[in-house]
Amino acid sequence: AQISYDPSGTGLPSSDDNVQDALTSTWVLADGAQTTANNAVSIGNNALSVANAALPKSGGTMTGDITFNNGQPVDAGTF
């Protein structure tokens, strides 16, 4: 036996429209989630690049010219 449903008494659109709308919404949400994930990866990669380029927190050697602002105090330590 074939089953049919008449949504006309519910005020809802036909079930075909409901399914299409649900599928469309699902794809829109999935696309948004993918975009958000891609953005998070990009932000993480940028943060890693900045961290890798930072000066070491302890130890290490700075080479090259170091430019200070006029009047900036410098504690050069002892030699």
Side-chain angles (χ1 to χ4, degrees):
Q2 186 176 18
I3 300 174
S4 66
Y5 171 69
D6 179 10
S8 61
T10 65
L12 296 171
S14 71
S15 59
D16 290 343
D17 289 341
N18 286 338
V19 170
Q20 183 60 47
D21 288 347
L23 289 173
T24 300
S25 295
T26 300
W27 283 110
V28 167
L29 287 172
D31 187 47
Q34 182 64 50
T35 299
T36 300
N38 289 342
N39 289 343
V41 168
S42 178
I43 289 169
N45 288 337
N46 288 342
L48 180 60
S49 294
V50 169
N52 287 337
L55 293 172
K57 302 299 179 239
S58 65
T61 303
M62 293 174 56
T63 60
D65 294 336
I66 301 173
T67 305
F68 294 95
N69 294 329
N70 288 338
Q72 180 175 350
V74 177
D75 180 2
T78 58
F79 297 92

